[in-house]
Amino acid sequence: MDGLHNWTLAAPEIFLAAAAMILLMIGVYRGERGADLVSSLCVASLGIAIFLVLRLEHGTAYHELFLVDAFTKMMKVLSLLAAGIAIVMSRSYFVLVGVWRFEFPVLVLLATLGMLVMISANDLMTLYLGLEMQSLALYVTAAFQRDSERSTEAGLKYFVLSSVASGMLLYGASLVYGFAGTTSFPGLARGFLAGDVATGAIIGLVFVLAGLVFKISAVPFHMWTPDVYEGAPTPVTALFSVAPKIAAMSLIVSVVMGPFRPLLAQWQQILVAVAVLSTIWGAIAALRQENIKRLMAYSSIANMGYVVLGLAAGTEEGVRSVVIYMIIYLAMNVGTFAVILSMRRKGVMVERISDLSGLAQRQPMMALALLLFMFSMAGIPPLAGFFAKLNVFLAAINAGLYVAATIAVLASVVGAYYYVRIVKVMYFDDPAEAFDRPVERDMAVVMLATALFVFPVFPVFQAPFMNGAQAAAKTFFSGR
Amino acid sequence: MPYEALLVAVLALPFAGSFLAALFRANARNAESWLAGGVALASLALAGAAYPLMAEGGIARYSAAWVPGLGLEFVIRMDGLAWAMTMLIAGIGFLVVLYARYYMSPADPVPRFFSFLLAFMGSMFGIVLSGNLIQLVFFWELTSLFSFLLIGYWHQTAQAREGARMALIVTSAGGLCLFAGVLLLGHMAGSYDLDHVLAAGDAIRSHRLYVPALILVLLGALTKSAQFPFHFWLPHAMAAPTPVSAYLHSATMVKAGVFLLVRLWPAMGGTHEWLWLVGSAGLVTFILGAFLAVFQQDLKGLLAHSTISHLGLITLLIGLDSPLGQVAAIFHIMNHATFKASLFMAAGIIDHETGTRDIRRLSGLWRFMPITGTLAMVAAAAMAGVPLLNGFLSKEMFFAETIEIHDGSPVDRALPYVVTAASMFTVAYSLRFIRDVFFGPPPTGLPRTPHEPPTLMRLPAEVLVLACLVVGIVPGYTVGPILETAVRSVLGAAVPEYSLAVWHGFTPELLMSAFAMAGGIAVYFLLRSWLLVCEGPPLFRHINGRRIFDRVLVTLSWRLARRLEEIFGSRRLQPQLRLLAAVALLAALAPFYMQDLVPRSMARPELDAAFALVWAVGIACALGAAWQAKFHRLAALILLGGAGLATCITFVWLSAPDLALTQLVVETVTTVLLLLGLRWLPKRLEEISPPARIRWYRGSDFAFALASGAGLAALAYAAMTRPSPDSIADFFVENAYTKGGGTNVVNVILVDFRGFDTFGEITVLGAVALTVYALLRRFRPAPESVPVPEQQRVQDIDDDAHPDRKKGDTVRSAMAVPGLIMRLLFPVIAVVAVYLLLRGHDLPGGGFVAGVTMAVAFILQYMARGTTWVEDRLRILPVRWMATGLLLAGGTGLGAWLFAKPFLTSSFSYLEIPLIGEIPMASALLFDLGVFALVVGATVLILIALAHQSVRSRRAPRSREAEATTLAPMAELR
């Protein structure tokens, strides 16, 4: 079989790679003035990539290194969407702090390319390739605000810790290869199914999972998250909190549900521990945060805990809950960050929770949107977040993970408290000085769209999303 | 089925109304009331229309796809109990709307009020009509949300905000617990459908998850119904407008909890746990609420505590776990709703017309508002359980039920006495409500002159009091069928005999009632004078629920969180790294521990003493490097080089000369480059913190590193002693000569088999060199490393001391001999490099090694003669080297296309050269030449970038900006 005959399966990736290089050139020749042009072209490229992804057929390419199926397509669309929105939301911030450069959107484009490769990985090699491509671009974006000490520190910290995690992943991959004799996902699955499970391969799996868990910032590999979220420029934080999470999560799903599915008993323990710790720590540590970006960091730790819990079920239902959760998480998070990015007073970004005081009286629509996002994250019906959690808990309970599910629900009670605190600050506290008006048009559009999604679109029209998630989840169970 | 449409309409109407209500003008009180009242009446009528079916014991169902795939359907299910609750909610809802029309002042923004009220009503309908447990939780949380908004309606006042927040936190947290409980419950029953769950009682009770599920469900129900120990939120919710209190705390919100208990009793009741958990919560609440109510000075506070107490009574009845108990509970739910709603309305009227709710300031109101007074009196009498009123009937049932023996425990035996005693307090506070407010001397100093309210404002209370009376006098004809309907839907065939007659003869419960009545009157008169001055209940005065709640909240959410964050969180990189590695280590150890990992073949390798010595040196170097890394970078770097050399020797030992050669030169060059970079880092750190702590830190780090290293070594050993998987190594060895024309397999792989990879790699190397250069061009050294370094100062001391010496003479003389040797070495090394390049295809060597070797020659020149001298004589600039290299490599690859072969296909032959003889001539050699050129260029470029720092920065202090531009090194490169 010639490895190249299916190359069209990678059309979105190839397109993005070419687009990134062309845009880089355009940027170089247009100089400072090119940022707006490059940025809009980047968004357009991501849009075209979505279109290309949707048109893909299913199959493998490059000697089974690369896989396209319903699940990967779904996740790719989500990642592309998240990245595109992140670029749209970044302009005003960077203009404000004076570093609106064409490199930023191009870097995001490259990171997204890495994500797509990650999602399509069907081999430990492809996995690593995509992961590193994504990470390298993201390190730079975290430190993009070069003159800011915090931003530089965030970038460096992210780089150091993430490289250690990548190293662990690579080490695990080499162990897996050493003990199982192959790096190909189908090959590994065949070997494990045949009962050939060496302890070394399990240790390899542990290391691979450790590296991947780091990327979704779940406990115990969460330490970098608050610092990086707080330090990185806010649009970058917005990007970090969604797109790479989707990609890394889908990578975990394809790793554990693909090659390592026969080892369910082993990884289930790991994932349950990760899920429980993440939900608890995400809820508790968030309680005393004063900085809303830090709060969102812990919130994303907790959210990832719930997603991992769904996955730990190891069932079709579980995978479906992961997909649903990621869709809803995307909307809630992007919306919240649109609000955070609009927190600007006399041309200066503010990011303390107390800055939101009395927002309801000054900017009622913005307050209402944030209220929807907060209640949704808290999992209070009838908002979308409730259904996200519902799916996860049902999957966990049906898989017999009673204790973990119960703990996670109780952790969500604690979590609800700090989300509600923000609502309280907005609605009940004495108004602080107003934010700059008008809110950027881009932000307003993002806020409106996501708020409408959280309520009422998702709660009312669940069927298409559920069906899509169902189809995506099925790929792992009906033979690809 | 018309019932389906009816059910949908009942549920949808309030929400539609809520939406509409929000659109009205801010002062449209009448329109809002018409709308809300209409909705409530319509719901009532619709529900009433379902009575025929309910009376037959039928169940109306409507279901629609809700969350497909989860097996969840949106089910509206109406049975007798749900029907009775719907009637109650809609009926009292209508009366409350009417009342609110007159209660709310024109200044209040009514659209918000009525919108929330209707949405709340809809959510309550949702709870009672849910045919699916998840859906029930869904509406449950909605009621929490809307009650939050209603309680906080007057959000200008701190009290309202606090009360609303507390209610939301307690009830929605309880709701989430309920959510968890319901998930477990549904799992045990195998379905979330209410019918299934109710039918699966036995399976649920015998399941091992029964107790956790029960506790979680109870947390939900007890928080909602303000049961001990969650009762504290309710009094603070009294900051709500009185219509809201009248609605939420009589017929709806708080009743949701007890409704749920009754609803789930067939599925979960009948166990010891139920009896004790539910029963004791109810009993404690009943007593505590009644006791506290007596000492309240606020009219609404009194009613709030009495609500708590009555809900405790209902909970106790449910907890007593008998069919008759359920009958009494359902009956009391209805009765309490009627009299408590009318009492709240009366309290609201008093507040509205006098301007105060303080019992101490009110008295003798009978003169001013006799009708309201009569209404309040009758309702309070019903609350106290006076005969001929509805409260009496359910209270009798309650007393009768407590007399029954349930499990024979001491508490069970004492129950009748305890509840009688508690009932005395019920009587006492009812009496106090009437006597202190309506009788006695005329009030003085009231904010307003009291008078009767508008007729229509009084009407709702009149209707409710009438209901109390009618039910109390002729229960069988009025409430009988309704109660029967509700009870049958819960108990099914097992409906016990019960009688609604007013007179049962002289029974023990009548005696208890009499005792309670007499005792209550006695208690009131005993405490009366003291009550007028007391500042709160004795014993409990200092136990302020709100303060405890706040303190717990602060402790948990703030102090504890901060403490935990201090322990487990850190912003410092080192602990973060340590955690990362430690967790990975532990996680990897776990499988070791669980399944013994014994390598498949434990062949003892033969160990040579010399080889072991090399390794000992290497390990010592590595340890030393780690030890010195933080304190003496130079030493650490040199030791690192030592470790590298040990590796190099290992390669030689294990017959990999090619690797060894590469390792050697790469090691040399990187060490030198790193040394050059060291100058810009801060100097050696002598002391950073007290030695003891340092020792501890370093010791632990050392142990940790040792453990990790040992673990990695063990794993590596285990992996290497396994039979290696089929790899492509054999393919390379076999085909290196036949297909690649070389006997040095490594080189053939690099330039031929994997030529494309190598091409990519050299491109990256070029990019790296350019990046390093570009970054260093803009490099601004830290202020402390700008001045002349210490070593140089030491060297210059002597020169400065002697006027006849010039600066730098010492260095020049010291470097004279080595400098000469270095200069002489240049051509030698260059020849070696060419030699390595040419022979690379067959023997150890190759473009990469040759390139690095060549770079070594340049480095030596830099060291011997200094930057300026070398750069004056550099004829071919690094960037050109790199460009040539890349073009050559790429061109070789493209050349293959001329022969219609794929990119980078190589060909080889032998070339006869006079004198030298036959040398192999593969096209790969050209490619290798490209590699060589690029490596030389890249290394020298990095070298230049580093070297220029010292040239620039020495002059920098004078005028940094000007220097940077004049010495922009790109100029020199072009």
Side-chain angles (χ1 to χ4, degrees):
Chain A
M1 183 180 83
D2 183 17
L4 278 180
H5 81 280
N6 258 348
W7 68 271
T8 43
L9 287 182
E13 284 82 0
I14 296 171
F15 170 76
L16 277 190
M21 282 178 234
I22 294 168
L23 289 175
L24 207 52
M25 281 300 151
I26 295 179
V28 168
Y29 287 105
R30 294 288 298 260
E32 298 291 304
R33 295 163 299 129
D36 280 336
L37 175 69
V38 171
S39 155
S40 27
L41 286 178
C42 275
V43 176
S45 310
L46 291 171
I48 295 173
I50 291 183
F51 174 73
L52 289 174
V53 168
L54 290 175
R55 306 219 14 166
L56 288 181
E57 290 174 7
H58 297 185
T60 60
Y62 307 111
H63 296 293
E64 289 208 325
L65 284 172
F66 191 88
L67 170 84
V68 176
D69 61 17
F71 177 76
T72 58
K73 277 166 73 171
M74 175 74 131
M75 288 317 222
K76 279 183 184 181
V77 170
L78 290 182
S79 302
L80 288 165
L81 206 58
I85 298 175
I87 296 181
V88 169
M89 293 202 300
S90 61
R91 183 181 181 277
S92 61
Y93 177 93
F94 283 124
V95 168
L96 192 68
V97 296
V99 285
W100 179 232
R101 302 273 151 73
F102 71 89
E103 285 95 339
F104 179 75
V106 177
L107 280 169
V108 176
L109 208 59
L110 286 170
T112 317
L113 172 60
M115 291 171 207
L116 298 194
V117 175
M118 277 162 80
I119 294 170
S120 266
N122 200 30
D123 189 289
L124 290 171
M125 291 293 136
T126 329
L127 178 159
Y128 187 72
L129 195 70
L131 195 64
E132 280 308 279
M133 186 177 237
Q134 178 221 236
S135 304
L136 278 173
L138 292 184
Y139 302 146
V140 186
T141 57
F144 201 74
Q145 208 174 328
R146 283 193 309 185
D147 297 329
S148 152
E149 218 167 84
R150 288 198 317 170
S151 171
T152 319
E153 184 195 337
L156 191 63
K157 217 173 219 176
Y158 186 36
F159 172 64
V160 172
L161 291 168
S162 186
S163 336
V164 174
S166 294
M168 287 202 291
L169 185 140
L170 204 52
Y171 185 69
S174 68
L175 274 180
V176 169
Y177 173 68
F179 283 88
T182 174
T183 54
S184 143
F185 286 1
L188 286 170
R190 274 193 295 276
F192 291 135
L193 267 182
D196 178 24
V197 184
T199 311
I202 296 177
I203 298 177
L205 167 68
V206 170
F207 275 106
V208 170
L209 277 185
L212 291 178
V213 165
F214 178 91
K215 303 291 173 186
I216 58 162
S217 70
V219 179
F221 302 106
H222 62 286
M223 290 285 237
W224 59 279
T225 328
D227 296 351
V228 172
Y229 271 43
E230 188 186 354
T234 314
V236 176
T237 312
L239 172 72
F240 276 14
S241 71
V242 189
K245 296 270 194 302
I246 293 172
M249 199 59 225
S250 87
L251 197 51
I252 297 186
V253 174
S254 13
V255 168
V256 299
M257 296 309 295
F260 291 101
R261 182 130 63 96
L263 304 184
L264 175 81
Q266 275 82 13
W267 57 256
Q268 190 170 46
Q269 301 166 12
I270 302 177
L271 290 191
V272 165
V274 166
V276 168
L277 288 175
S278 301
T279 49
I280 294 178
W281 184 241
I284 290 180
L287 286 174
R288 64 163 297 252
Q289 299 308 326
E290 291 287 338
N291 182 300
I292 193 154
K293 281 161 77 182
R294 252 185 124 69
L295 183 101
M296 289 307 289
Y298 284 109
S299 149
S300 81
I301 291 174
N303 275 313
M304 285 303 125
Y306 295 111
V307 186
V308 172
L309 180 67
L311 177 59
T315 54
E316 189 173 328
E317 216 180 357
V319 178
R320 188 183 58 197
S321 74
V322 170
V323 178
I324 288 288
Y325 205 108
M326 291 318 287
I327 295 175
I328 295 170
Y329 175 78
L330 169 83
M332 297 187 301
N333 240 39
V334 163
T336 310
F337 272 101
V339 175
I340 295 176
L341 281 164
S342 307
M343 290 168 59
R344 181 183 309 174
R345 207 166 268 156
K346 298 208 178 81
V348 179
M349 298 299 300
V350 290
E351 50 195 43
R352 298 180 66 77
I353 290 171
S354 53
D355 292 319
L356 287 167
S357 293
L359 185 68
Q361 291 170 46
R362 295 179 275 118
Q363 274 132 312
M365 289 316 282
M366 195 161 132
L368 184 67
L370 192 54
L371 172 126
L372 285 178
F373 299 135
M374 289 298 120
F375 277 152
S376 177
M377 293 222 200
I380 292 174
L383 306 169
F386 169 76
F387 293 98
K389 289 209 167 75
L390 176 67
N391 273 288
V392 163
F393 294 145
L394 281 180
I397 284 189
N398 289 341
L401 307 171
Y402 309 116
V403 179
T406 311
I407 293 178
V409 176
L410 297 182
S412 79
V413 176
V414 180
Y417 175 74
Y418 66 76
Y419 293 123
V420 171
R421 184 164 74 104
I422 293 186
V423 174
K424 178 221 150 204
V425 168
M426 285 193 303
Y427 277 81
F428 289 163
D429 282 6
D430 293 330
E433 215 179 314
F435 293 140
D436 291 354
R437 261 193 267 215
V439 173
E440 289 274 330
R441 197 186 41 133
D442 294 343
M443 302 295 172
V445 169
V446 172
M447 261 184 250
L448 184 69
T450 48
L452 284 179
F453 178 83
V454 169
F455 188 82
V457 173
F458 187 86
V460 177
F461 307 104
Q462 300 196 12
F465 301 103
M466 290 299 279
N467 294 339
Q470 180 74 40
K474 215 172 228 153
T475 54
F476 292 99
F477 292 86
S478 55
R480 297 183 177 206
Chain B
M1 188 80 189
Y3 285 116
E4 289 192 355
L6 183 149
L7 290 176
V8 174
V10 168
L11 197 55
L13 261 180
F15 287 108
S18 162
F19 182 73
L20 276 181
L23 304 177
F24 285 9
R25 273 180 303 110
N27 56 356
R29 274 199 299 174
N30 288 327
E32 291 280 358
S33 313
W34 278 112
L35 173 72
V39 166
L41 263 190
S43 304
L44 188 70
L46 283 169
Y51 180 68
L53 179 69
M54 296 302 124
E56 297 164 14
I59 293 175
R61 266 180 88 97
Y62 164 83
S63 65
W66 185 32
V67 188
L70 283 185
L72 284 187
E73 288 199 314
F74 192 88
V75 182
I76 311 178
R77 174 187 181 278
M78 186 191 263
D79 62 359
L81 180 64
W83 175 78
M85 289 299 291
T86 311
M87 295 293 283
L88 205 60
I89 295 163
I92 296 192
F94 171 71
L95 296 175
V96 165
V97 168
L98 184 59
Y99 178 74
R101 157 66 187 82
Y102 293 95
Y103 183 88
M104 303 307 281
S105 81
D108 290 322
V110 280
R112 192 153 58 94
F113 178 81
F114 283 104
S115 176
F116 292 157
L117 193 75
L118 281 175
F120 179 81
M121 186 191 287
S123 314
M124 276 309 294
F125 285 148
I127 292 184
V128 298
L129 293 176
S130 281
N132 173 316
L133 288 179
I134 304 278
Q135 188 188 334
L136 188 143
V137 174
F138 183 92
F139 284 110
W140 185 279
E141 289 290 45
L142 276 188
T143 56
S144 295
L145 219 54
F146 286 115
S147 71
F148 164 73
L149 294 168
L150 282 171
I151 296 171
Y153 176 71
W154 281 322
H155 58 80
Q156 306 87 337
T157 64
Q159 259 186 328
R161 296 199 300 251
E162 279 301 302
R165 188 174 65 103
M166 199 185 286
L168 177 68
I169 289 174
V170 175
T171 57
S172 70
L176 286 170
C177 293
L178 175 69
F179 180 34
V182 155
L183 287 178
L184 292 181
L185 195 60
H187 179 71
M188 291 189 283
S191 164
Y192 294 93
D193 193 274
L194 194 59
D195 288 322
H196 276 97
V197 173
L198 293 182
D202 293 329
I204 292 171
R205 278 184 287 264
S206 57
H207 201 281
R208 67 194 169 90
L209 290 172
Y210 170 70
V211 176
L214 176 64
I215 291 174
L216 288 167
V217 168
L218 285 185
L219 279 174
L222 298 185
T223 47
K224 199 80 162 183
S225 283
Q227 295 296 289
F228 179 83
F230 310 109
H231 60 281
F232 52 84
W233 68 265
L234 202 143
H236 294 283
M238 288 302 135
T242 302
V244 171
S245 307
Y247 196 39
L248 263 59
H249 305 138
S250 66
T252 55
M253 173 91 164
V254 293
K255 288 289 162 61
V258 286
F259 164 78
L260 183 73
L261 291 179
V262 175
R263 181 93 278 182
L264 292 179
W265 180 75
M268 301 192 85
T271 63
H272 215 65
E273 289 85 1
W274 178 277
L275 176 66
W276 277 93
L277 286 173
V278 182
S280 43
L283 181 60
V284 172
T285 316
F286 174 48
I287 300 170
L288 191 69
F291 177 72
L292 293 178
V294 177
F295 300 94
Q296 299 302 315
Q297 303 297 10
D298 177 13
L299 268 184
K300 279 178 81 178
L302 186 148
L303 290 178
H305 282 93
S306 109
T307 300
I308 294 174
S309 169
H310 277 273
L311 285 165
L313 185 154
I314 298 171
T315 309
L316 176 58
L317 275 171
I318 301 168
L320 289 178
D321 216 6
S322 65
L324 260 181
Q326 312 308 314
V327 176
I330 297 170
F331 193 25
H332 200 67
I333 288 177
M334 299 176 185
N335 291 339
H336 175 251
T338 41
F339 65 68
K340 191 49 67 65
S342 58
L343 280 173
F344 268 117
M345 289 177 186
I349 291 173
I350 293 168
D351 184 17
H352 205 251
E353 308 304 342
T354 65
T356 181
R357 297 196 315 237
D358 192 328
I359 298 177
R360 284 167 298 190
R361 295 176 67 186
L362 296 165
S363 78
L365 289 185
W366 180 265
R367 285 155 238 228
F368 304 100
M369 35 175 74
I371 304 179
T372 309
T374 317
L375 292 176
M377 223 182 305
V378 177
M383 175 162 78
V386 173
L388 291 184
L389 292 166
N390 60 356
F392 172 71
L393 297 172
S394 43
K395 201 143 198 179
E396 288 286 283
M397 288 168 108
F398 168 61
F399 284 147
E401 188 51 37
T402 57
I403 298 171
E404 298 288 321
I405 296 299
H406 301 93
D407 70 344
S409 62
V411 179
D412 190 20
R413 285 174 201 287
L415 200 56
Y417 308 100
V418 176
V419 296
T420 310
S423 294
M424 292 179 187
F425 285 98
T426 310
V427 174
Y429 68 67
S430 305
L431 193 55
R432 179 157 185 245
F433 184 86
I434 297 308
R435 196 168 178 283
D436 282 8
V437 172
F438 290 104
F439 297 96
T444 48
L446 287 181
R448 284 179 218 147
T449 318
H451 58 83
E452 282 287 350
T455 325
L456 277 176
M457 185 174 183
R458 218 170 46 210
L459 181 69
E462 288 167 350
V463 172
L464 289 168
V465 168
L466 189 67
C468 292
L469 271 169
V470 173
V471 168
I473 297 167
V474 281
Y477 298 106
T478 49
V479 81
I482 299 177
L483 183 64
E484 178 67 20
T485 311
V487 165
R488 205 169 43 220
S489 71
V490 176
L491 299 174
V495 177
E497 280 296 313
Y498 63 92
S499 153
L500 282 180
V502 176
W503 179 251
H504 287 112
F506 288 101
T507 51
E509 51 266 29
L510 189 66
L511 192 65
M512 287 163 76
S513 278
F515 264 115
M517 219 43 100
I521 295 170
V523 166
Y524 171 66
F525 281 103
L526 278 178
L527 292 175
R528 201 165 79 89
S529 52
W530 189 62
L531 280 176
L532 286 176
V533 292
C534 79
E535 277 302 326
L539 300 177
F540 294 94
R541 190 183 311 162
H542 302 293
I543 305 178
N544 183 336
R546 178 176 150 199
R547 208 183 308 143
I548 296 172
F549 173 78
D550 279 345
R551 196 165 294 166
V552 168
L553 220 53
V554 166
T555 311
L556 285 182
S557 74
W558 202 254
R559 300 227 180 91
L560 183 76
R562 188 172 54 195
R563 190 88 196 91
L564 284 174
E565 207 196 0
E566 277 165 12
I567 297 171
F568 293 113
S570 169
R571 294 194 182 202
R572 287 169 51 227
L573 185 61
Q574 277 166 324
Q576 296 187 358
L577 270 175
R578 207 175 289 144
L579 179 83
L580 199 64
V583 171
L585 185 70
L586 288 178
L589 274 181
F592 254 114
Y593 179 73
M594 288 184 289
Q595 320 175 1
D596 49 335
L597 181 95
V598 183
R600 296 283 162 90
S601 54
M602 278 290 276
R604 268 185 61 125
E606 289 158 34
L607 204 61
D608 192 286
F611 187 55
L613 196 65
V614 169
W615 264 73
V617 171
I619 291 171
C621 283
L623 284 178
W627 190 257
Q628 287 295 346
K630 199 162 183 178
F631 299 88
H632 201 310
R633 295 204 182 82
L634 182 65
L637 207 54
I638 292 169
L639 286 168
L640 213 55
L645 282 182
T647 318
C648 177
I649 298 173
T650 312
F651 286 143
V652 176
W653 197 277
L654 298 175
S655 331
D658 211 288
L659 278 183
L661 193 61
T662 314
Q663 172 79 17
L664 183 68
V665 284
V666 169
E667 194 69 43
T668 314
V669 172
T670 47
T671 306
V672 171
L673 289 182
L674 280 171
L675 281 173
L676 288 175
L678 267 195
R679 188 230 174 290
W680 304 109
L681 291 178
K683 265 180 43 181
R684 162 183 180 161
L685 281 171
E686 300 290 347
E687 292 289 327
I688 46 172
S689 55
R693 274 183 63 199
I694 294 188
R695 232 173 281 135
W696 160 247
Y697 279 135
R698 310 194 77 193
S700 58
D701 282 356
F702 179 68
F704 182 46
L706 215 57
S708 308
L712 289 191
L715 277 175
Y717 186 74
M720 282 188 289
T721 48
R722 282 172 57 87
S724 62
D726 289 338
S727 72
I728 50 172
D730 298 333
F731 169 84
F732 287 139
V733 173
E734 280 162 20
N735 296 302
Y737 188 75
T738 51
K739 294 197 173 159
T743 48
N744 177 0
V745 181
V746 176
N747 187 266
V748 173
I749 292 174
L750 282 179
V751 300
D752 192 337
F753 292 143
R754 288 286 159 89
F756 198 64
D757 290 3
T758 311
F759 187 58
E761 279 162 22
I762 58 174
T763 315
V764 171
L765 185 63
V768 167
L770 286 174
T771 314
V772 169
Y773 184 80
L775 286 177
L776 283 180
R777 224 182 94 192
R778 291 243 187 128
F779 173 70
R780 280 160 295 184
E784 64 268 22
S785 51
V786 169
V788 177
E790 192 192 354
Q791 293 84 346
Q792 220 165 328
R793 281 203 301 274
V794 172
Q795 289 157 4
D796 290 343
I797 289 174
D798 205 32
D799 301 339
D800 293 341
H802 296 82
D804 54 327
R805 296 178 73 115
K806 284 205 300 275
K807 224 185 183 93
D809 276 356
T810 313
V811 182
R812 262 191 289 282
S813 61
M815 285 297 286
V817 177
L820 185 68
I821 298 174
M822 286 177 192
R823 258 193 289 168
L824 291 179
L825 271 177
F826 183 80
V828 180
I829 297 177
V831 170
V832 171
V834 173
Y835 171 68
L836 285 175
L837 172 70
L838 286 180
R839 74 171 206 160
H841 216 48
D842 290 328
L843 293 164
F848 184 75
V849 182
V852 181
T853 312
M854 195 63 213
V856 170
F858 281 107
I859 292 173
L860 283 180
Q861 298 315 301
Y862 268 89
M863 296 203 305
R865 306 302 295 263
T867 314
T868 335
W869 189 90
V870 178
E871 280 175 14
D872 282 346
R873 286 156 184 79
L874 264 187
R875 286 294 163 264
I876 310 175
L877 298 172
V879 180
R880 297 210 184 131
W881 280 93
M882 286 162 59
T884 317
L886 267 184
L887 287 176
L888 203 56
T892 317
L894 288 177
W897 282 357
L898 294 179
F899 303 95
K901 296 274 172 56
F903 186 61
L904 276 174
T905 310
S906 75
S907 76
F908 63 96
S909 64
Y910 289 86
L911 188 65
E912 189 72 37
I913 297 179
L915 291 179
I916 297 177
E918 191 179 58
I919 63 158
M921 210 50 209
S923 70
L925 184 65
L926 274 178
F927 183 79
D928 226 8
L929 197 63
V931 174
F932 168 78
L934 187 118
V935 171
V936 174
T939 320
V940 173
L941 187 62
I942 295 174
L943 183 68
I944 290 178
L946 282 168
H948 269 265
Q949 295 305 320
S950 45
V951 178
R952 273 200 300 158
S953 65
R954 203 161 308 148
R955 299 186 223 155
R958 271 182 272 141
S959 104
R960 189 172 293 175
E961 290 308 310
E963 285 311 317
T965 45
T966 53
L967 246 171
M970 258 336 222
E972 297 145 32
L973 289 171
R974 280 195 185 109

